[in-house]
Amino acid sequence: MFCGDYIDRGPQIHDVLTIVRSMVEGAAALAVMGNHEFNAIAFHTERSDLPGEHCRPHSEKNVRQHRATLDQISEMELADWLNWFRSLPVCLDLQSIRIVHACWDPGGLDFIDQTLSRKQPFDAQFMQRATAVGDPLFDAVERVLKGPEMELPEGVVVTDKDGTARRRIRIRWFESPQGRHLGDYALPREPNIPGVSVPESAPAVPYPADAPPVFVGHYWLPPRKPAPLAANIACLDYSVAKGGLLCGYRFDGESTLSDDRFVTVRSRD
């Protein structure tokens, strides 16, 4: 299983794409879409209402985020890869396990599925709605592919691994916010955030303890010994493109995930 985000970071984007796609097409693996693949589709999709403009604006920040892909994939190849990205499912529910890039949100997943065109998934009409702030489709895509976030208190910022100062944090959406503090409820945890209580209105999607295990990517966790985020939640993104770990999990049908089933290889960079 591949959990998304195959592009935009690291020096071997072409190799990663080739390996993942060949395994999927050879029925040796399954893969879901990440927010970086979604962003790439949006970046290269023109808006019908604003000719020359794109669903993901070509701002300095967005170009910088996509630059490694633009540098490593030729324009001719990119068109084919974008078509492949459009073929990727947003999630996989295999009964014994579930795979999604950032957040298993049943309502959001259903809404996305009902809105997608079966003939032309992630077409211009879908992408225009999915990138329009205020549209319910935008909200669904944000939750599923990017994970729920919360505003930080006034004057508090965190800096991500790209050096970008952020006033919002990703949260442990699968757990109830009741009685939690922001630093502990952040994903990954942020020990330097003041001890502010998480409001009960936090955009959580508590995941039932008896539901099948969910595997996610996205969260760019620090390169330390992997462990489940909860008894039935595991993240497999340990920052391999930033000198961290390539991480997998040997799943054997268990309902409670275990530390000793993670498998890692350290990046050579």
Side-chain angles (χ1 to χ4, degrees), residues 229-251:
L229 298 173
N232 56 354
I233 305 285
C235 177
L236 300 181
D237 186 340
Y238 279 82
S239 311
V240 65
K242 287 288 186 178
L245 305 173
L246 181 64
C247 181
Y249 185 93
R250 289 196 177 104
F251 181 72

PDB file of all heavy atoms in Angstrom, residues 229-251:
ATOM      1  N   LEU A 229      -0.195   5.715  16.096  1.00  0.00           N
ATOM      2  CA  LEU A 229      -0.723   6.939  16.692  1.00  0.00           C
ATOM      3  C   LEU A 229      -1.853   6.623  17.669  1.00  0.00           C
ATOM      4  O   LEU A 229      -2.119   7.374  18.594  1.00  0.00           O
ATOM      5  CB  LEU A 229      -1.233   7.879  15.593  1.00  0.00           C
ATOM      6  CG  LEU A 229      -0.184   8.360  14.593  1.00  0.00           C
ATOM      7  CD1 LEU A 229      -0.854   9.146  13.468  1.00  0.00           C
ATOM      8  CD2 LEU A 229       0.878   9.205  15.280  1.00  0.00           C
ATOM      9  N   ALA A 230      -2.532   5.530  17.423  1.00  0.00           N
ATOM     10  CA  ALA A 230      -3.579   5.000  18.298  1.00  0.00           C
ATOM     11  C   ALA A 230      -3.620   3.493  18.041  1.00  0.00           C
ATOM     12  O   ALA A 230      -2.904   2.983  17.172  1.00  0.00           O
ATOM     13  CB  ALA A 230      -4.927   5.650  17.996  1.00  0.00           C
ATOM     14  N   ALA A 231      -4.445   2.781  18.777  1.00  0.00           N
ATOM     15  CA  ALA A 231      -4.482   1.325  18.643  1.00  0.00           C
ATOM     16  C   ALA A 231      -4.789   0.876  17.223  1.00  0.00           C
ATOM     17  O   ALA A 231      -4.311  -0.173  16.776  1.00  0.00           O
ATOM     18  CB  ALA A 231      -5.504   0.736  19.609  1.00  0.00           C
ATOM     19  N   ASN A 232      -5.566   1.691  16.467  1.00  0.00           N
ATOM     20  CA  ASN A 232      -5.929   1.313  15.102  1.00  0.00           C
ATOM     21  C   ASN A 232      -5.661   2.438  14.094  1.00  0.00           C
ATOM     22  O   ASN A 232      -6.325   2.528  13.066  1.00  0.00           O
ATOM     23  CB  ASN A 232      -7.390   0.861  15.024  1.00  0.00           C
ATOM     24  CG  ASN A 232      -8.364   1.916  15.551  1.00  0.00           C
ATOM     25  OD1 ASN A 232      -7.944   2.952  16.082  1.00  0.00           O
ATOM     26  ND2 ASN A 232      -9.654   1.664  15.408  1.00  0.00           N
ATOM     27  N   ILE A 233      -4.676   3.284  14.385  1.00  0.00           N
ATOM     28  CA  ILE A 233      -4.258   4.359  13.474  1.00  0.00           C
ATOM     29  C   ILE A 233      -2.741   4.345  13.366  1.00  0.00           C
ATOM     30  O   ILE A 233      -2.037   4.353  14.383  1.00  0.00           O
ATOM     31  CB  ILE A 233      -4.686   5.757  13.986  1.00  0.00           C
ATOM     32  CG1 ILE A 233      -6.195   5.822  14.243  1.00  0.00           C
ATOM     33  CG2 ILE A 233      -4.243   6.830  12.993  1.00  0.00           C
ATOM     34  CD1 ILE A 233      -7.041   5.918  13.002  1.00  0.00           C
ATOM     35  N   ALA A 234      -2.212   4.339  12.134  1.00  0.00           N
ATOM     36  CA  ALA A 234      -0.764   4.393  11.939  1.00  0.00           C
ATOM     37  C   ALA A 234      -0.421   5.334  10.805  1.00  0.00           C
ATOM     38  O   ALA A 234      -1.085   5.332   9.759  1.00  0.00           O
ATOM     39  CB  ALA A 234      -0.193   3.003  11.655  1.00  0.00           C
ATOM     40  N   CYS A 235       0.630   6.118  11.007  1.00  0.00           N
ATOM     41  CA  CYS A 235       1.170   6.982   9.950  1.00  0.00           C
ATOM     42  C   CYS A 235       2.444   6.338   9.425  1.00  0.00           C
ATOM     43  O   CYS A 235       3.276   5.842  10.197  1.00  0.00           O
ATOM     44  CB  CYS A 235       1.474   8.368  10.503  1.00  0.00           C
ATOM     45  SG  CYS A 235       2.228   9.482   9.284  1.00  0.00           S
ATOM     46  N   LEU A 236       2.613   6.365   8.094  1.00  0.00           N
ATOM     47  CA  LEU A 236       3.792   5.769   7.464  1.00  0.00           C
ATOM     48  C   LEU A 236       4.701   6.803   6.822  1.00  0.00           C
ATOM     49  O   LEU A 236       5.609   6.448   6.061  1.00  0.00           O
ATOM     50  CB  LEU A 236       3.361   4.726   6.425  1.00  0.00           C
ATOM     51  CG  LEU A 236       2.537   3.556   6.962  1.00  0.00           C
ATOM     52  CD1 LEU A 236       2.187   2.586   5.841  1.00  0.00           C
ATOM     53  CD2 LEU A 236       3.261   2.838   8.092  1.00  0.00           C
ATOM     54  N   ASP A 237       4.480   8.093   7.129  1.00  0.00           N
ATOM     55  CA  ASP A 237       5.331   9.162   6.595  1.00  0.00           C
ATOM     56  C   ASP A 237       6.299   9.601   7.683  1.00  0.00           C
ATOM     57  O   ASP A 237       5.918  10.291   8.629  1.00  0.00           O
ATOM     58  CB  ASP A 237       4.480  10.339   6.130  1.00  0.00           C
ATOM     59  CG  ASP A 237       5.306  11.418   5.432  1.00  0.00           C
ATOM     60  OD1 ASP A 237       6.539  11.443   5.629  1.00  0.00           O
ATOM     61  OD2 ASP A 237       4.719  12.239   4.710  1.00  0.00           O
ATOM     62  N   TYR A 238       7.559   9.192   7.539  1.00  0.00           N
ATOM     63  CA  TYR A 238       8.605   9.571   8.485  1.00  0.00           C
ATOM     64  C   TYR A 238       9.727  10.343   7.787  1.00  0.00           C
ATOM     65  O   TYR A 238      10.899  10.139   8.052  1.00  0.00           O
ATOM     66  CB  TYR A 238       9.126   8.337   9.226  1.00  0.00           C
ATOM     67  CG  TYR A 238       8.223   7.941  10.379  1.00  0.00           C
ATOM     68  CD1 TYR A 238       7.072   7.183  10.154  1.00  0.00           C
ATOM     69  CD2 TYR A 238       8.481   8.358  11.681  1.00  0.00           C
ATOM     70  CE1 TYR A 238       6.220   6.838  11.199  1.00  0.00           C
ATOM     71  CE2 TYR A 238       7.634   8.024  12.731  1.00  0.00           C
ATOM     72  CZ  TYR A 238       6.507   7.266  12.480  1.00  0.00           C
ATOM     73  OH  TYR A 238       5.651   6.940  13.520  1.00  0.00           O
ATOM     74  N   SER A 239       9.320  11.234   6.863  1.00  0.00           N
ATOM     75  CA  SER A 239      10.211  12.265   6.320  1.00  0.00           C
ATOM     76  C   SER A 239      11.380  11.725   5.511  1.00  0.00           C
ATOM     77  O   SER A 239      12.476  12.281   5.549  1.00  0.00           O
ATOM     78  CB  SER A 239      10.743  13.145   7.465  1.00  0.00           C
ATOM     79  OG  SER A 239       9.717  13.579   8.314  1.00  0.00           O
ATOM     80  N   VAL A 240      11.159  10.650   4.726  1.00  0.00           N
ATOM     81  CA  VAL A 240      12.272  10.076   3.978  1.00  0.00           C
ATOM     82  C   VAL A 240      12.878  11.074   3.000  1.00  0.00           C
ATOM     83  O   VAL A 240      14.099  11.060   2.770  1.00  0.00           O
ATOM     84  CB  VAL A 240      11.836   8.783   3.246  1.00  0.00           C
ATOM     85  CG1 VAL A 240      10.796   9.071   2.168  1.00  0.00           C
ATOM     86  CG2 VAL A 240      13.048   8.067   2.652  1.00  0.00           C
ATOM     87  N   ALA A 241      12.076  11.973   2.426  1.00  0.00           N
ATOM     88  CA  ALA A 241      12.607  12.933   1.453  1.00  0.00           C
ATOM     89  C   ALA A 241      13.371  14.075   2.110  1.00  0.00           C
ATOM     90  O   ALA A 241      13.960  14.903   1.428  1.00  0.00           O
ATOM     91  CB  ALA A 241      11.474  13.502   0.595  1.00  0.00           C
ATOM     92  N   LYS A 242      13.365  14.121   3.436  1.00  0.00           N
ATOM     93  CA  LYS A 242      14.109  15.131   4.179  1.00  0.00           C
ATOM     94  C   LYS A 242      15.121  14.476   5.121  1.00  0.00           C
ATOM     95  O   LYS A 242      15.363  14.941   6.233  1.00  0.00           O
ATOM     96  CB  LYS A 242      13.137  16.013   4.974  1.00  0.00           C
ATOM     97  CG  LYS A 242      12.337  16.978   4.127  1.00  0.00           C
ATOM     98  CD  LYS A 242      13.209  18.109   3.596  1.00  0.00           C
ATOM     99  CE  LYS A 242      12.363  19.150   2.872  1.00  0.00           C
ATOM    100  NZ  LYS A 242      13.177  20.287   2.399  1.00  0.00           N
ATOM    101  N   GLY A 243      15.698  13.361   4.672  1.00  0.00           N
ATOM    102  CA  GLY A 243      16.726  12.705   5.459  1.00  0.00           C
ATOM    103  C   GLY A 243      16.210  11.803   6.554  1.00  0.00           C
ATOM    104  O   GLY A 243      16.981  11.384   7.432  1.00  0.00           O
ATOM    105  N   GLY A 244      14.922  11.467   6.519  1.00  0.00           N
ATOM    106  CA  GLY A 244      14.322  10.646   7.559  1.00  0.00           C
ATOM    107  C   GLY A 244      14.287   9.176   7.217  1.00  0.00           C
ATOM    108  O   GLY A 244      15.268   8.601   6.718  1.00  0.00           O
ATOM    109  N   LEU A 245      13.125   8.545   7.439  1.00  0.00           N
ATOM    110  CA  LEU A 245      12.987   7.107   7.270  1.00  0.00           C
ATOM    111  C   LEU A 245      11.963   6.754   6.201  1.00  0.00           C
ATOM    112  O   LEU A 245      10.893   7.369   6.142  1.00  0.00           O
ATOM    113  CB  LEU A 245      12.525   6.468   8.590  1.00  0.00           C
ATOM    114  CG  LEU A 245      13.355   6.726   9.848  1.00  0.00           C
ATOM    115  CD1 LEU A 245      12.626   6.156  11.066  1.00  0.00           C
ATOM    116  CD2 LEU A 245      14.743   6.116   9.716  1.00  0.00           C
ATOM    117  N   LEU A 246      12.285   5.763   5.366  1.00  0.00           N
ATOM    118  CA  LEU A 246      11.289   5.110   4.541  1.00  0.00           C
ATOM    119  C   LEU A 246      10.608   4.090   5.449  1.00  0.00           C
ATOM    120  O   LEU A 246      11.275   3.255   6.064  1.00  0.00           O
ATOM    121  CB  LEU A 246      11.946   4.416   3.356  1.00  0.00           C
ATOM    122  CG  LEU A 246      11.023   3.691   2.384  1.00  0.00           C
ATOM    123  CD1 LEU A 246      10.096   4.675   1.683  1.00  0.00           C
ATOM    124  CD2 LEU A 246      11.847   2.904   1.366  1.00  0.00           C
ATOM    125  N   CYS A 247       9.294   4.182   5.561  1.00  0.00           N
ATOM    126  CA  CYS A 247       8.592   3.407   6.578  1.00  0.00           C
ATOM    127  C   CYS A 247       7.480   2.569   5.972  1.00  0.00           C
ATOM    128  O   CYS A 247       6.717   3.046   5.120  1.00  0.00           O
ATOM    129  CB  CYS A 247       8.009   4.358   7.632  1.00  0.00           C
ATOM    130  SG  CYS A 247       7.127   3.538   8.966  1.00  0.00           S
ATOM    131  N   GLY A 248       7.380   1.330   6.394  1.00  0.00           N
ATOM    132  CA  GLY A 248       6.287   0.448   6.010  1.00  0.00           C
ATOM    133  C   GLY A 248       5.762  -0.274   7.244  1.00  0.00           C
ATOM    134  O   GLY A 248       6.302  -0.136   8.349  1.00  0.00           O
ATOM    135  N   TYR A 249       4.713  -1.047   7.039  1.00  0.00           N
ATOM    136  CA  TYR A 249       4.122  -1.818   8.138  1.00  0.00           C
ATOM    137  C   TYR A 249       3.731  -3.187   7.600  1.00  0.00           C
ATOM    138  O   TYR A 249       3.077  -3.289   6.551  1.00  0.00           O
ATOM    139  CB  TYR A 249       2.892  -1.097   8.691  1.00  0.00           C
ATOM    140  CG  TYR A 249       2.276  -1.762   9.915  1.00  0.00           C
ATOM    141  CD1 TYR A 249       2.634  -1.373  11.198  1.00  0.00           C
ATOM    142  CD2 TYR A 249       1.345  -2.792   9.781  1.00  0.00           C
ATOM    143  CE1 TYR A 249       2.090  -1.986  12.328  1.00  0.00           C
ATOM    144  CE2 TYR A 249       0.795  -3.422  10.898  1.00  0.00           C
ATOM    145  CZ  TYR A 249       1.173  -3.015  12.167  1.00  0.00           C
ATOM    146  OH  TYR A 249       0.624  -3.622  13.270  1.00  0.00           O
ATOM    147  N   ARG A 250       4.133  -4.248   8.300  1.00  0.00           N
ATOM    148  CA  ARG A 250       3.767  -5.615   7.909  1.00  0.00           C
ATOM    149  C   ARG A 250       2.438  -5.961   8.584  1.00  0.00           C
ATOM    150  O   ARG A 250       2.406  -6.316   9.770  1.00  0.00           O
ATOM    151  CB  ARG A 250       4.856  -6.592   8.343  1.00  0.00           C
ATOM    152  CG  ARG A 250       6.147  -6.482   7.538  1.00  0.00           C
ATOM    153  CD  ARG A 250       7.009  -7.723   7.774  1.00  0.00           C
ATOM    154  NE  ARG A 250       8.225  -7.691   6.955  1.00  0.00           N
ATOM    155  CZ  ARG A 250       9.431  -7.407   7.428  1.00  0.00           C
ATOM    156  NH1 ARG A 250       9.587  -7.123   8.707  1.00  0.00           N
ATOM    157  NH2 ARG A 250      10.478  -7.423   6.639  1.00  0.00           N
ATOM    158  N   PHE A 251       1.367  -5.845   7.807  1.00  0.00           N
ATOM    159  CA  PHE A 251       0.029  -6.078   8.363  1.00  0.00           C
ATOM    160  C   PHE A 251      -0.361  -7.532   8.163  1.00  0.00           C
ATOM    161  O   PHE A 251      -0.239  -8.085   7.078  1.00  0.00           O
ATOM    162  CB  PHE A 251      -0.986  -5.166   7.662  1.00  0.00           C
ATOM    163  CG  PHE A 251      -2.387  -5.310   8.185  1.00  0.00           C
ATOM    164  CD1 PHE A 251      -2.729  -4.823   9.432  1.00  0.00           C
ATOM    165  CD2 PHE A 251      -3.364  -5.945   7.426  1.00  0.00           C
ATOM    166  CE1 PHE A 251      -4.022  -4.957   9.922  1.00  0.00           C
ATOM    167  CE2 PHE A 251      -4.658  -6.087   7.902  1.00  0.00           C
ATOM    168  CZ  PHE A 251      -4.989  -5.590   9.155  1.00  0.00           C
TER     169      PHE A 251
END
